[in-house]
Amino acid sequence: MYRTIHAEVSENGQIILKEPLQITGRRRAVVTILDGVGDDDNDGGNSQQVLDLLNSPEFFGKPQHSPEEIETIINENRNAWGE
């Protein structure tokens, strides 16, 4: 099984894993070197972008619906495609 995980490689070649990795026994690995790490890199990835969006004025204060109401809205929209 192949897995991809985020890591950084230091100037002396040390690999620093940026997420947990659990393996049993020795494994082979292929390391792909990407563009340099800068101060503007966001280790939060997409999750940070989603949090920023959810905290933005566009979403702040929007009404929240119960799961039943959400299911009703989804079904109404799903059924609208048949019209």
Side-chain angles (χ1 to χ4, degrees):
M1 174 174 73
Y2 296 114
R3 287 184 279 174
T4 301
I5 62 167
H6 292 139
E8 289 181 11
V9 180
S10 68
E11 291 178 3
N12 65 2
Q14 181 181 8
I15 297 175
I16 302 126
L17 302 179
K18 301 303 255 178
E19 54 190 88
L21 174 65
Q22 293 182 344
I23 58 173
T24 56
R26 289 179 66 175
R27 297 288 187 262
R28 296 182 323 148
V30 175
V31 178
T32 303
I33 307 299
L34 304 174
D35 291 338
V37 176
D39 291 336
D40 60 343
D41 284 348
N42 182 355
D43 286 339
N46 286 343
S47 61
Q48 185 61 51
Q49 292 174 344
V50 170
L51 287 172
D52 290 344
L53 177 64
L54 292 174
N55 290 321
S56 71
E58 182 180 357
F59 286 95
F60 184 77
K62 285 210 174 206
Q64 297 193 7
H65 301 284
S66 70
E68 294 80 16
E69 291 172 318
I70 293 171
E71 188 66 30
T72 299
I73 293 168
I74 290 171
N75 285 327
E76 287 172 356
N77 286 314
R78 186 178 290 142
N79 294 334
W81 284 84
E83 296 176 357

